Amino acid sequence: METTFLLGGELKVDRIGYGAMRLSAAPEPGSDPGMGHVWRAPTDRSAAAAVLRHAVRSGVTLIDTADSYGLGENEELIAEALHPYRDDVVIATKVGVARPSPTEWVPVGHPAYLRQQAELSLRRLKLDHLDLLQLHRVDPNVPLADQIGALHQLREEGKVRHIGLSEVTVEQLRAAEQITPIAAVQNMYNLLTRAHEDVVDYTAERAIAFIPFFPVAMGAHTAPGGPVAEVAAEVGATPAQTALAWLLHRSPTILPIPGTTSIEHLTENSGAADVLLSDDQYARLSALAGD
């Protein structure tokens, strides 16, 4: 099993990256605990920076963020911790979602807005170009061609190296490819959440990176004594490592980006690259989504 991937056919990254969204302050009172916490930078910035630095030292080469995480403070934190960046580190960010409040995530695909946000990301990340810029969400009120066209313009201007999409269908991906090369798709996908199986297969056929967010499956199947724990015990790994290993086996273009605020968990997640599943173990895990 390959443990690296050529993003856009030329940027070599380790297949297990790091999702920086978790590096944020505690959730605002009354907000959704799942997403309401991505409103401000963490109180302990030094601890968050230590996690980012450890990630890079331990071999993580793909760091994922977005302009909407902490209203840009997540990008600033990455620059604070890692700039000047190592030559092998790839920073991926996203534009196209506004945050008018801690609990609102509003797609905004006006071309001028997308281009402005890319300029702001460049400043906050202290970069002269973005290795991977992803459309965070498709705005249903703006023609898709106009949204992709704005990213294509940034690429033509040399401000963006590769373009990606997030939470899209195969049909939307095909339409985007008619306008500009697409290097990555970031959809929600894990061992138990598999609504985007067709997108996974399509990206594998096209050598497009599939970057699953929330890649570590949760729920009853991952509980002690559950099916994932059983396979984990057989291979000498943790359930989280086993769930990530399944993703790596699912498609050679899958690049999981587990996020954590813990150096211990970061090390655990990275260890998934060394977990080998037999055909029988892979098949048993794959059958879980239908349960």
Side-chain angles (χ1 to χ4, degrees), residues 263-280:
I263 289 178
E264 180 182 358
H265 287 160
L266 192 154
T267 302
E268 175 187 351
N269 293 335
S270 298
D274 299 321
V275 176
L276 299 178
L277 301 175
S278 68
D279 290 342
D280 173 70

PDB file of all heavy atoms in Angstrom, residues 263-280:
ATOM      1  N   ILE A 263      -1.139  15.757  21.082  1.00  0.00           N
ATOM      2  CA  ILE A 263       0.027  15.171  20.412  1.00  0.00           C
ATOM      3  C   ILE A 263      -0.038  13.646  20.472  1.00  0.00           C
ATOM      4  O   ILE A 263       0.323  12.955  19.514  1.00  0.00           O
ATOM      5  CB  ILE A 263       1.330  15.699  21.054  1.00  0.00           C
ATOM      6  CG1 ILE A 263       1.522  17.171  20.675  1.00  0.00           C
ATOM      7  CG2 ILE A 263       2.534  14.872  20.615  1.00  0.00           C
ATOM      8  CD1 ILE A 263       2.751  17.821  21.284  1.00  0.00           C
ATOM      9  N   GLU A 264      -0.547  13.118  21.576  1.00  0.00           N
ATOM     10  CA  GLU A 264      -0.679  11.665  21.707  1.00  0.00           C
ATOM     11  C   GLU A 264      -1.617  11.103  20.639  1.00  0.00           C
ATOM     12  O   GLU A 264      -1.307  10.098  19.983  1.00  0.00           O
ATOM     13  CB  GLU A 264      -1.205  11.312  23.098  1.00  0.00           C
ATOM     14  CG  GLU A 264      -1.377   9.816  23.319  1.00  0.00           C
ATOM     15  CD  GLU A 264      -1.942   9.495  24.689  1.00  0.00           C
ATOM     16  OE1 GLU A 264      -2.171  10.431  25.486  1.00  0.00           O
ATOM     17  OE2 GLU A 264      -2.172   8.306  24.971  1.00  0.00           O
ATOM     18  N   HIS A 265      -2.767  11.729  20.452  1.00  0.00           N
ATOM     19  CA  HIS A 265      -3.705  11.259  19.441  1.00  0.00           C
ATOM     20  C   HIS A 265      -3.154  11.483  18.036  1.00  0.00           C
ATOM     21  O   HIS A 265      -3.412  10.675  17.131  1.00  0.00           O
ATOM     22  CB  HIS A 265      -5.051  11.963  19.594  1.00  0.00           C
ATOM     23  CG  HIS A 265      -5.831  11.505  20.783  1.00  0.00           C
ATOM     24  ND1 HIS A 265      -6.850  12.248  21.342  1.00  0.00           N
ATOM     25  CD2 HIS A 265      -5.741  10.370  21.527  1.00  0.00           C
ATOM     26  CE1 HIS A 265      -7.348  11.599  22.377  1.00  0.00           C
ATOM     27  NE2 HIS A 265      -6.691  10.464  22.509  1.00  0.00           N
ATOM     28  N   LEU A 266      -2.418  12.565  17.834  1.00  0.00           N
ATOM     29  CA  LEU A 266      -1.814  12.809  16.535  1.00  0.00           C
ATOM     30  C   LEU A 266      -0.859  11.673  16.170  1.00  0.00           C
ATOM     31  O   LEU A 266      -0.870  11.168  15.044  1.00  0.00           O
ATOM     32  CB  LEU A 266      -1.074  14.144  16.566  1.00  0.00           C
ATOM     33  CG  LEU A 266      -0.611  14.729  15.233  1.00  0.00           C
ATOM     34  CD1 LEU A 266      -0.503  16.239  15.331  1.00  0.00           C
ATOM     35  CD2 LEU A 266       0.730  14.153  14.791  1.00  0.00           C
ATOM     36  N   THR A 267      -0.054  11.263  17.140  1.00  0.00           N
ATOM     37  CA  THR A 267       0.874  10.147  16.919  1.00  0.00           C
ATOM     38  C   THR A 267       0.112   8.858  16.634  1.00  0.00           C
ATOM     39  O   THR A 267       0.494   8.073  15.755  1.00  0.00           O
ATOM     40  CB  THR A 267       1.783   9.966  18.145  1.00  0.00           C
ATOM     41  OG1 THR A 267       2.504  11.191  18.386  1.00  0.00           O
ATOM     42  CG2 THR A 267       2.764   8.834  17.931  1.00  0.00           C
ATOM     43  N   GLU A 268      -0.980   8.664  17.362  1.00  0.00           N
ATOM     44  CA  GLU A 268      -1.810   7.480  17.139  1.00  0.00           C
ATOM     45  C   GLU A 268      -2.373   7.476  15.716  1.00  0.00           C
ATOM     46  O   GLU A 268      -2.311   6.459  15.009  1.00  0.00           O
ATOM     47  CB  GLU A 268      -2.959   7.448  18.139  1.00  0.00           C
ATOM     48  CG  GLU A 268      -3.952   6.313  17.915  1.00  0.00           C
ATOM     49  CD  GLU A 268      -5.159   6.409  18.825  1.00  0.00           C
ATOM     50  OE1 GLU A 268      -5.167   7.251  19.742  1.00  0.00           O
ATOM     51  OE2 GLU A 268      -6.123   5.638  18.605  1.00  0.00           O
ATOM     52  N   ASN A 269      -2.912   8.603  15.287  1.00  0.00           N
ATOM     53  CA  ASN A 269      -3.492   8.681  13.948  1.00  0.00           C
ATOM     54  C   ASN A 269      -2.455   8.412  12.866  1.00  0.00           C
ATOM     55  O   ASN A 269      -2.721   7.691  11.895  1.00  0.00           O
ATOM     56  CB  ASN A 269      -4.121  10.061  13.729  1.00  0.00           C
ATOM     57  CG  ASN A 269      -5.340  10.293  14.609  1.00  0.00           C
ATOM     58  OD1 ASN A 269      -5.998   9.360  15.038  1.00  0.00           O
ATOM     59  ND2 ASN A 269      -5.637  11.553  14.872  1.00  0.00           N
ATOM     60  N   SER A 270      -1.274   8.983  13.019  1.00  0.00           N
ATOM     61  CA  SER A 270      -0.216   8.779  12.021  1.00  0.00           C
ATOM     62  C   SER A 270       0.178   7.320  11.918  1.00  0.00           C
ATOM     63  O   SER A 270       0.563   6.840  10.845  1.00  0.00           O
ATOM     64  CB  SER A 270       1.001   9.636  12.364  1.00  0.00           C
ATOM     65  OG  SER A 270       0.692  11.015  12.334  1.00  0.00           O
ATOM     66  N   GLY A 271       0.063   6.593  13.027  1.00  0.00           N
ATOM     67  CA  GLY A 271       0.418   5.178  13.035  1.00  0.00           C
ATOM     68  C   GLY A 271      -0.488   4.309  12.195  1.00  0.00           C
ATOM     69  O   GLY A 271      -0.158   3.146  11.911  1.00  0.00           O
ATOM     70  N   ALA A 272      -1.618   4.847  11.760  1.00  0.00           N
ATOM     71  CA  ALA A 272      -2.545   4.070  10.924  1.00  0.00           C
ATOM     72  C   ALA A 272      -1.903   3.669   9.603  1.00  0.00           C
ATOM     73  O   ALA A 272      -2.298   2.671   8.990  1.00  0.00           O
ATOM     74  CB  ALA A 272      -3.815   4.865  10.674  1.00  0.00           C
ATOM     75  N   ALA A 273      -0.926   4.444   9.154  1.00  0.00           N
ATOM     76  CA  ALA A 273      -0.261   4.118   7.885  1.00  0.00           C
ATOM     77  C   ALA A 273       0.480   2.794   7.954  1.00  0.00           C
ATOM     78  O   ALA A 273       0.764   2.179   6.913  1.00  0.00           O
ATOM     79  CB  ALA A 273       0.701   5.244   7.511  1.00  0.00           C
ATOM     80  N   ASP A 274       0.782   2.331   9.152  1.00  0.00           N
ATOM     81  CA  ASP A 274       1.516   1.068   9.316  1.00  0.00           C
ATOM     82  C   ASP A 274       0.601  -0.120   9.566  1.00  0.00           C
ATOM     83  O   ASP A 274       1.076  -1.248   9.720  1.00  0.00           O
ATOM     84  CB  ASP A 274       2.498   1.187  10.489  1.00  0.00           C
ATOM     85  CG  ASP A 274       3.531   2.281  10.269  1.00  0.00           C
ATOM     86  OD1 ASP A 274       3.990   2.426   9.124  1.00  0.00           O
ATOM     87  OD2 ASP A 274       3.868   2.990  11.233  1.00  0.00           O
ATOM     88  N   VAL A 275      -0.711   0.126   9.613  1.00  0.00           N
ATOM     89  CA  VAL A 275      -1.670  -0.955   9.896  1.00  0.00           C
ATOM     90  C   VAL A 275      -2.045  -1.648   8.586  1.00  0.00           C
ATOM     91  O   VAL A 275      -2.549  -1.004   7.659  1.00  0.00           O
ATOM     92  CB  VAL A 275      -2.935  -0.407  10.586  1.00  0.00           C
ATOM     93  CG1 VAL A 275      -3.952  -1.533  10.789  1.00  0.00           C
ATOM     94  CG2 VAL A 275      -2.562   0.222  11.924  1.00  0.00           C
ATOM     95  N   LEU A 276      -1.808  -2.935   8.521  1.00  0.00           N
ATOM     96  CA  LEU A 276      -2.129  -3.720   7.326  1.00  0.00           C
ATOM     97  C   LEU A 276      -3.348  -4.589   7.605  1.00  0.00           C
ATOM     98  O   LEU A 276      -3.374  -5.342   8.578  1.00  0.00           O
ATOM     99  CB  LEU A 276      -0.939  -4.592   6.919  1.00  0.00           C
ATOM    100  CG  LEU A 276       0.341  -3.835   6.561  1.00  0.00           C
ATOM    101  CD1 LEU A 276       1.458  -4.820   6.220  1.00  0.00           C
ATOM    102  CD2 LEU A 276       0.099  -2.886   5.393  1.00  0.00           C
ATOM    103  N   LEU A 277      -4.349  -4.469   6.753  1.00  0.00           N
ATOM    104  CA  LEU A 277      -5.561  -5.267   6.886  1.00  0.00           C
ATOM    105  C   LEU A 277      -5.550  -6.400   5.860  1.00  0.00           C
ATOM    106  O   LEU A 277      -5.187  -6.185   4.700  1.00  0.00           O
ATOM    107  CB  LEU A 277      -6.797  -4.393   6.649  1.00  0.00           C
ATOM    108  CG  LEU A 277      -6.999  -3.190   7.577  1.00  0.00           C
ATOM    109  CD1 LEU A 277      -8.193  -2.381   7.105  1.00  0.00           C
ATOM    110  CD2 LEU A 277      -7.186  -3.643   9.012  1.00  0.00           C
ATOM    111  N   SER A 278      -5.966  -7.577   6.291  1.00  0.00           N
ATOM    112  CA  SER A 278      -6.115  -8.680   5.341  1.00  0.00           C
ATOM    113  C   SER A 278      -7.367  -8.442   4.506  1.00  0.00           C
ATOM    114  O   SER A 278      -8.217  -7.600   4.846  1.00  0.00           O
ATOM    115  CB  SER A 278      -6.238 -10.014   6.081  1.00  0.00           C
ATOM    116  OG  SER A 278      -7.470 -10.073   6.789  1.00  0.00           O
ATOM    117  N   ASP A 279      -7.502  -9.200   3.419  1.00  0.00           N
ATOM    118  CA  ASP A 279      -8.703  -9.056   2.591  1.00  0.00           C
ATOM    119  C   ASP A 279      -9.958  -9.354   3.400  1.00  0.00           C
ATOM    120  O   ASP A 279     -10.985  -8.681   3.244  1.00  0.00           O
ATOM    121  CB  ASP A 279      -8.627  -9.997   1.383  1.00  0.00           C
ATOM    122  CG  ASP A 279      -7.565  -9.570   0.379  1.00  0.00           C
ATOM    123  OD1 ASP A 279      -7.130  -8.402   0.432  1.00  0.00           O
ATOM    124  OD2 ASP A 279      -7.170 -10.411  -0.450  1.00  0.00           O
ATOM    125  N   ASP A 280      -9.871 -10.352   4.281  1.00  0.00           N
ATOM    126  CA  ASP A 280     -11.030 -10.717   5.104  1.00  0.00           C
ATOM    127  C   ASP A 280     -11.366  -9.599   6.087  1.00  0.00           C
ATOM    128  O   ASP A 280     -12.543  -9.239   6.260  1.00  0.00           O
ATOM    129  CB  ASP A 280     -10.743 -12.012   5.866  1.00  0.00           C
ATOM    130  CG  ASP A 280     -11.850 -12.343   6.855  1.00  0.00           C
ATOM    131  OD1 ASP A 280     -12.963 -12.705   6.408  1.00  0.00           O
ATOM    132  OD2 ASP A 280     -11.624 -12.236   8.077  1.00  0.00           O
TER     133      ASP A 280
END
